[in-house]
PDB file of all heavy atoms in Angstrom:
ATOM      1  N   ALA A  23       9.773   1.474 -12.568  1.00  0.00           N
ATOM      2  CA  ALA A  23      10.318   2.777 -12.156  1.00  0.00           C
ATOM      3  C   ALA A  23       9.495   3.366 -11.018  1.00  0.00           C
ATOM      4  O   ALA A  23      10.039   3.875 -10.030  1.00  0.00           O
ATOM      5  CB  ALA A  23      10.346   3.733 -13.350  1.00  0.00           C
ATOM      6  N   ALA A  27      10.656   4.117  -7.078  1.00  0.00           N
ATOM      7  CA  ALA A  27      10.491   5.459  -6.506  1.00  0.00           C
ATOM      8  C   ALA A  27       9.674   5.402  -5.220  1.00  0.00           C
ATOM      9  O   ALA A  27       9.993   6.075  -4.237  1.00  0.00           O
ATOM     10  CB  ALA A  27       9.817   6.385  -7.521  1.00  0.00           C
ATOM     11  N   ALA A  83       9.538  13.913  -2.339  1.00  0.00           N
ATOM     12  CA  ALA A  83      10.597  12.982  -2.764  1.00  0.00           C
ATOM     13  C   ALA A  83      10.055  12.044  -3.836  1.00  0.00           C
ATOM     14  O   ALA A  83      10.738  11.768  -4.828  1.00  0.00           O
ATOM     15  CB  ALA A  83      11.124  12.188  -1.573  1.00  0.00           C
ATOM     16  N   PHE A  84       8.829  11.559  -3.665  1.00  0.00           N
ATOM     17  CA  PHE A  84       8.238  10.684  -4.668  1.00  0.00           C
ATOM     18  C   PHE A  84       8.076  11.402  -6.000  1.00  0.00           C
ATOM     19  O   PHE A  84       8.377  10.837  -7.050  1.00  0.00           O
ATOM     20  CB  PHE A  84       6.890  10.141  -4.192  1.00  0.00           C
ATOM     21  CG  PHE A  84       6.241   9.212  -5.184  1.00  0.00           C
ATOM     22  CD1 PHE A  84       6.709   7.923  -5.366  1.00  0.00           C
ATOM     23  CD2 PHE A  84       5.165   9.646  -5.947  1.00  0.00           C
ATOM     24  CE1 PHE A  84       6.118   7.067  -6.290  1.00  0.00           C
ATOM     25  CE2 PHE A  84       4.564   8.807  -6.868  1.00  0.00           C
ATOM     26  CZ  PHE A  84       5.038   7.507  -7.044  1.00  0.00           C
ATOM     27  N   TYR A  85       7.607  12.657  -5.984  1.00  0.00           N
ATOM     28  CA  TYR A  85       7.498  13.429  -7.243  1.00  0.00           C
ATOM     29  C   TYR A  85       8.841  13.411  -7.981  1.00  0.00           C
ATOM     30  O   TYR A  85       8.912  13.118  -9.171  1.00  0.00           O
ATOM     31  CB  TYR A  85       7.142  14.895  -6.982  1.00  0.00           C
ATOM     32  CG  TYR A  85       5.822  15.183  -6.317  1.00  0.00           C
ATOM     33  CD1 TYR A  85       5.687  16.304  -5.508  1.00  0.00           C
ATOM     34  CD2 TYR A  85       4.705  14.373  -6.501  1.00  0.00           C
ATOM     35  CE1 TYR A  85       4.476  16.611  -4.905  1.00  0.00           C
ATOM     36  CE2 TYR A  85       3.498  14.677  -5.894  1.00  0.00           C
ATOM     37  CZ  TYR A  85       3.390  15.798  -5.098  1.00  0.00           C
ATOM     38  OH  TYR A  85       2.201  16.114  -4.494  1.00  0.00           O
ATOM     39  N   ARG A  86       9.889  13.764  -7.259  1.00  0.00           N
ATOM     40  CA  ARG A  86      11.220  13.868  -7.869  1.00  0.00           C
ATOM     41  C   ARG A  86      11.735  12.506  -8.320  1.00  0.00           C
ATOM     42  O   ARG A  86      12.181  12.348  -9.458  1.00  0.00           O
ATOM     43  CB  ARG A  86      12.196  14.506  -6.867  1.00  0.00           C
ATOM     44  CG  ARG A  86      13.618  14.659  -7.382  1.00  0.00           C
ATOM     45  CD  ARG A  86      14.544  15.272  -6.333  1.00  0.00           C
ATOM     46  NE  ARG A  86      14.470  14.645  -5.026  1.00  0.00           N
ATOM     47  CZ  ARG A  86      15.058  13.480  -4.703  1.00  0.00           C
ATOM     48  NH1 ARG A  86      15.767  12.818  -5.599  1.00  0.00           N
ATOM     49  NH2 ARG A  86      14.947  12.988  -3.484  1.00  0.00           N
ATOM     50  N   LEU A  87      11.676  11.526  -7.435  1.00  0.00           N
ATOM     51  CA  LEU A  87      12.208  10.199  -7.759  1.00  0.00           C
ATOM     52  C   LEU A  87      11.460   9.553  -8.917  1.00  0.00           C
ATOM     53  O   LEU A  87      12.075   8.921  -9.789  1.00  0.00           O
ATOM     54  CB  LEU A  87      12.155   9.296  -6.526  1.00  0.00           C
ATOM     55  CG  LEU A  87      13.089   9.681  -5.391  1.00  0.00           C
ATOM     56  CD1 LEU A  87      12.725   8.926  -4.119  1.00  0.00           C
ATOM     57  CD2 LEU A  87      14.536   9.438  -5.775  1.00  0.00           C
ATOM     58  N   LEU A  88      10.148   9.704  -8.949  1.00  0.00           N
ATOM     59  CA  LEU A  88       9.373   9.110 -10.037  1.00  0.00           C
ATOM     60  C   LEU A  88       9.725   9.752 -11.377  1.00  0.00           C
ATOM     61  O   LEU A  88       9.991   9.054 -12.355  1.00  0.00           O
ATOM     62  CB  LEU A  88       7.873   9.235  -9.773  1.00  0.00           C
ATOM     63  CG  LEU A  88       6.987   8.696 -10.902  1.00  0.00           C
ATOM     64  CD1 LEU A  88       7.236   7.211 -11.144  1.00  0.00           C
ATOM     65  CD2 LEU A  88       5.524   8.964 -10.609  1.00  0.00           C
ATOM     66  N   THR A  89       9.744  11.070 -11.425  1.00  0.00           N
ATOM     67  CA  THR A  89      10.031  11.720 -12.713  1.00  0.00           C
ATOM     68  C   THR A  89      11.468  11.462 -13.158  1.00  0.00           C
ATOM     69  O   THR A  89      11.717  11.285 -14.351  1.00  0.00           O
ATOM     70  CB  THR A  89       9.728  13.231 -12.670  1.00  0.00           C
ATOM     71  OG1 THR A  89      10.439  13.841 -11.596  1.00  0.00           O
ATOM     72  CG2 THR A  89       8.228  13.471 -12.499  1.00  0.00           C
ATOM     73  N   GLU A  90      12.406  11.399 -12.214  1.00  0.00           N
ATOM     74  CA  GLU A  90      13.786  11.052 -12.582  1.00  0.00           C
ATOM     75  C   GLU A  90      13.864   9.639 -13.153  1.00  0.00           C
ATOM     76  O   GLU A  90      14.495   9.411 -14.186  1.00  0.00           O
ATOM     77  CB  GLU A  90      14.711  11.171 -11.369  1.00  0.00           C
ATOM     78  CG  GLU A  90      15.001  12.588 -10.946  1.00  0.00           C
ATOM     79  CD  GLU A  90      15.789  12.674  -9.638  1.00  0.00           C
ATOM     80  OE1 GLU A  90      16.104  11.627  -9.016  1.00  0.00           O
ATOM     81  OE2 GLU A  90      16.086  13.810  -9.232  1.00  0.00           O
ATOM     82  N   ALA A  91      13.211   8.693 -12.492  1.00  0.00           N
ATOM     83  CA  ALA A  91      13.253   7.295 -12.942  1.00  0.00           C
ATOM     84  C   ALA A  91      12.570   7.132 -14.290  1.00  0.00           C
ATOM     85  O   ALA A  91      13.075   6.419 -15.170  1.00  0.00           O
ATOM     86  CB  ALA A  91      12.608   6.384 -11.904  1.00  0.00           C
ATOM     87  N   LEU A  92      11.424   7.766 -14.478  1.00  0.00           N
ATOM     88  CA  LEU A  92      10.729   7.656 -15.759  1.00  0.00           C
ATOM     89  C   LEU A  92      11.545   8.281 -16.888  1.00  0.00           C
ATOM     90  O   LEU A  92      11.565   7.768 -18.010  1.00  0.00           O
ATOM     91  CB  LEU A  92       9.346   8.305 -15.686  1.00  0.00           C
ATOM     92  CG  LEU A  92       8.320   7.556 -14.838  1.00  0.00           C
ATOM     93  CD1 LEU A  92       7.049   8.383 -14.688  1.00  0.00           C
ATOM     94  CD2 LEU A  92       8.002   6.183 -15.435  1.00  0.00           C
ATOM     95  N   SER A  93      12.248   9.359 -16.596  1.00  0.00           N
ATOM     96  CA  SER A  93      13.102   9.984 -17.599  1.00  0.00           C
ATOM     97  C   SER A  93      14.291   9.095 -17.944  1.00  0.00           C
ATOM     98  O   SER A  93      14.559   8.815 -19.121  1.00  0.00           O
ATOM     99  CB  SER A  93      13.583  11.345 -17.099  1.00  0.00           C
ATOM    100  OG  SER A  93      14.484  11.917 -18.019  1.00  0.00           O
ATOM    101  N   GLU A  94      14.999   8.634 -16.918  1.00  0.00           N
ATOM    102  CA  GLU A  94      16.210   7.838 -17.121  1.00  0.00           C
ATOM    103  C   GLU A  94      15.930   6.459 -17.707  1.00  0.00           C
ATOM    104  O   GLU A  94      16.641   6.002 -18.596  1.00  0.00           O
ATOM    105  CB  GLU A  94      16.962   7.674 -15.795  1.00  0.00           C
ATOM    106  CG  GLU A  94      17.560   8.959 -15.276  1.00  0.00           C
ATOM    107  CD  GLU A  94      18.063   8.841 -13.831  1.00  0.00           C
ATOM    108  OE1 GLU A  94      18.198   7.700 -13.324  1.00  0.00           O
ATOM    109  OE2 GLU A  94      18.302   9.889 -13.213  1.00  0.00           O
ATOM    110  N   LYS A  95      14.902   5.780 -17.218  1.00  0.00           N
ATOM    111  CA  LYS A  95      14.661   4.389 -17.613  1.00  0.00           C
ATOM    112  C   LYS A  95      13.678   4.234 -18.763  1.00  0.00           C
ATOM    113  O   LYS A  95      13.689   3.215 -19.443  1.00  0.00           O
ATOM    114  CB  LYS A  95      14.160   3.589 -16.411  1.00  0.00           C
ATOM    115  CG  LYS A  95      15.197   3.516 -15.307  1.00  0.00           C
ATOM    116  CD  LYS A  95      14.686   2.829 -14.075  1.00  0.00           C
ATOM    117  CE  LYS A  95      15.794   2.848 -13.035  1.00  0.00           C
ATOM    118  NZ  LYS A  95      15.387   2.356 -11.763  1.00  0.00           N
ATOM    119  N   CYS A  96      12.820   5.235 -18.965  1.00  0.00           N
ATOM    120  CA  CYS A  96      11.750   5.095 -19.954  1.00  0.00           C
ATOM    121  C   CYS A  96      11.749   6.204 -21.006  1.00  0.00           C
ATOM    122  O   CYS A  96      10.941   6.155 -21.934  1.00  0.00           O
ATOM    123  CB  CYS A  96      10.396   5.075 -19.251  1.00  0.00           C
ATOM    124  SG  CYS A  96      10.251   3.827 -17.955  1.00  0.00           S
ATOM    125  N   GLY A  97      12.582   7.222 -20.819  1.00  0.00           N
ATOM    126  CA  GLY A  97      12.622   8.324 -21.778  1.00  0.00           C
ATOM    127  C   GLY A  97      11.399   9.223 -21.736  1.00  0.00           C
ATOM    128  O   GLY A  97      11.089   9.905 -22.710  1.00  0.00           O
ATOM    129  N   ILE A  98      10.690   9.249 -20.599  1.00  0.00           N
ATOM    130  CA  ILE A  98       9.488  10.074 -20.449  1.00  0.00           C
ATOM    131  C   ILE A  98       9.872  11.369 -19.748  1.00  0.00           C
ATOM    132  O   ILE A  98      10.426  11.351 -18.649  1.00  0.00           O
ATOM    133  CB  ILE A  98       8.404   9.316 -19.655  1.00  0.00           C
ATOM    134  CG1 ILE A  98       7.992   8.060 -20.423  1.00  0.00           C
ATOM    135  CG2 ILE A  98       7.206  10.217 -19.379  1.00  0.00           C
ATOM    136  CD1 ILE A  98       7.098   7.126 -19.634  1.00  0.00           C
ATOM    137  N   ALA A  99       9.582  12.477 -20.387  1.00  0.00           N
ATOM    138  CA  ALA A  99       9.930  13.794 -19.830  1.00  0.00           C
ATOM    139  C   ALA A  99       9.131  14.069 -18.558  1.00  0.00           C
ATOM    140  O   ALA A  99       7.956  13.700 -18.457  1.00  0.00           O
ATOM    141  CB  ALA A  99       9.658  14.882 -20.864  1.00  0.00           C
ATOM    142  N   SER A 100       9.761  14.747 -17.628  1.00  0.00           N
ATOM    143  CA  SER A 100       9.075  15.088 -16.374  1.00  0.00           C
ATOM    144  C   SER A 100       7.848  15.967 -16.635  1.00  0.00           C
ATOM    145  O   SER A 100       6.889  15.934 -15.868  1.00  0.00           O
ATOM    146  CB  SER A 100      10.033  15.772 -15.405  1.00  0.00           C
ATOM    147  OG  SER A 100      10.505  16.982 -15.956  1.00  0.00           O
ATOM    148  N   VAL A 103       4.457  14.077 -16.760  1.00  0.00           N
ATOM    149  CA  VAL A 103       4.014  13.290 -15.604  1.00  0.00           C
ATOM    150  C   VAL A 103       3.301  14.199 -14.610  1.00  0.00           C
ATOM    151  O   VAL A 103       3.906  15.069 -13.996  1.00  0.00           O
ATOM    152  CB  VAL A 103       5.215  12.587 -14.916  1.00  0.00           C
ATOM    153  CG1 VAL A 103       4.719  11.725 -13.752  1.00  0.00           C
ATOM    154  CG2 VAL A 103       6.003  11.755 -15.922  1.00  0.00           C
TER     155      VAL A 103
END
Side-chain angles (χ1 to χ4, degrees):
F84 181 74
Y85 298 150
R86 180 181 49 78
L87 292 167
L88 177 61
T89 55
E90 287 173 359
L92 290 172
S93 176
E94 292 169 14
K95 296 175 181 173
C96 306
I98 298 171
S100 62
V103 182

